[in-house]
Amino acid sequence: MPIPEDVTGDEIDKDVRQELQSLPKTLAEDVAKNLVMVARLIDEDPEGAYAYSKVALRLASRVAAVREAGGFAAYANQKYSEALAEFRAARRMTGSAELWPVMADCERGLGRPEKALEMAGAPEVHKLDKAGQVEMRLVAAGARRDMGQLDAAIVTLQSPELASNSVQPWTARLRYAYADALLAAGREGEAREWFAKAVEADRDGSTDASDRLAELDGVEFVDAFDDSDDSEDTDDTDDRDASDGGDAERVEVEDDKD
């Protein structure tokens, strides 16, 4: 796999770099560059990230960080069985419970929500930091929804973290999940309130809470210029500006609520 010239391998986390010190210098550099590419592509090009992760695994499968990266790349491509295997390998190497929530979510992806719920009640959860515990709560609520237990999913998400007014990295996703569960249960008014709270906390646009809120408020997006109208117009004397035939503007149309 080609590596862009601007990738040096120095971009990786210092803890990962330390892990790679067990490898020969040249090999460590090659692995580091592939790990950088995994991190760079995993959101926008998960298939590309997966390809680079396979190279890293071929070069250094005994390094926990490489197994973890392989797991996340497989997870991003919905290869849940493979992801779970890589996460388990990484966990055996490190002894850390950090990957426990994403391992449980892999169980959900494999159609085993009961197993995910079992993991949510395991002792490993108590070893997680606050972010990990919130993530585990989100996975458990998702498992409840997988099983058609909407009310239980809502209760699962009700927590001090949800009630807190402080904004943490997980706040937007937690509020969003709660709003979505409320909406699925037919509690539209409460759902709107929590989608609005999710918008307030979503500083980096990690959710589509603003779009969901707009839908509930009756706001829709339409094309200002419909190409079908242009095709019906056969008048060659039409002297509209060329710009009128370009990309359609996006305008908001709000239903009249009076």
Side-chain angles (χ1 to χ4, degrees):
M1 295 290 293
I3 303 291
E5 292 183 2
D6 65 313
V7 174
T8 65
D10 293 334
E11 301 89 342
I12 61 174
D13 182 272
K14 65 178 182 179
D15 292 335
V16 177
R17 189 180 301 113
Q18 186 173 358
E19 281 192 59
L20 296 180
Q21 288 180 355
S22 62
L23 303 174
K25 185 175 186 297
T26 301
L27 179 58
E29 291 174 354
D30 289 342
V31 173
K33 290 178 181 180
N34 280 280
L35 292 180
V36 170
M37 293 306 298
V38 173
R40 177 180 289 190
L41 297 176
I42 197 163
D43 291 327
E44 301 299 329
D45 180 13
E47 290 185 2
Y50 179 74
Y52 281 103
S53 76
K54 299 302 284 186
V55 175
L57 283 165
R58 187 168 66 250
L59 295 174
S61 62
R62 294 186 179 181
V63 176
V66 173
R67 303 302 291 265
E68 182 176 330
F72 278 111
Y75 179 82
N77 284 275
Q78 300 182 7
K79 299 177 183 292
Y80 298 117
S81 181
E82 183 177 341
L84 185 57
E86 297 298 345
F87 289 142
R88 284 173 173 167
R91 183 169 178 269
R92 284 195 300 271
M93 293 176 181
T94 64
S96 171
E98 182 180 358
L99 295 171
W100 198 251
V102 71
M103 289 170 62
D105 207 39
C106 285
E107 295 287 0
R108 284 186 60 211
L110 291 169
R112 301 194 291 251
E114 298 89 350
K115 177 62 176 177
L117 286 176
E118 180 183 328
M119 293 178 68
E124 284 80 358
V125 176
H126 300 296
K127 301 176 183 179
L128 297 171
D129 59 14
K130 182 62 67 176
Q133 291 177 5
V134 171
E135 194 65 35
M136 192 72 248
R137 189 177 293 276
L138 288 166
V139 173
R144 290 291 186 188
R145 292 191 63 172
D146 293 342
M147 299 167 68
Q149 301 174 1
L150 275 175
D151 289 341
I154 291 170
V155 172
T156 298
L157 293 168
Q158 292 171 344
S159 62
E161 293 80 19
L162 179 67
S164 175
N165 290 324
S166 67
V167 175
Q168 303 294 334
W170 60 77
T171 303
R173 292 179 59 238
L174 183 59
R175 292 177 179 179
Y176 182 96
Y178 188 59
D180 192 50
L182 289 169
L183 187 60
R187 295 160 63 174
E188 186 172 315
E190 294 172 85
R192 190 207 174 282
E193 175 187 352
W194 282 97
F195 275 127
K197 290 183 178 181
V199 170
E200 292 175 0
D202 196 358
R203 296 168 178 170
D204 59 358
S206 62
T207 74
D208 65 346
S210 59
D211 293 337
R212 301 293 299 277
L213 183 61
E215 290 175 5
L216 288 174
D217 285 344
V219 177
E220 60 180 311
F221 296 92
V222 299
D223 286 334
F225 300 101
D226 192 332
D227 289 342
S228 63
D229 292 338
D230 293 341
S231 63
E232 294 174 0
D233 188 356
T234 57
D235 186 356
D236 293 336
T237 63
D238 189 349
D239 61 354
R240 290 174 301 170
D241 291 339
S243 61
D244 288 349
D247 292 339
E249 296 178 17
R250 306 296 290 179
V251 297
E252 293 184 359
V253 178
E254 184 168 3
D255 291 345
D256 186 357
K257 300 184 181 301
D258 293 335

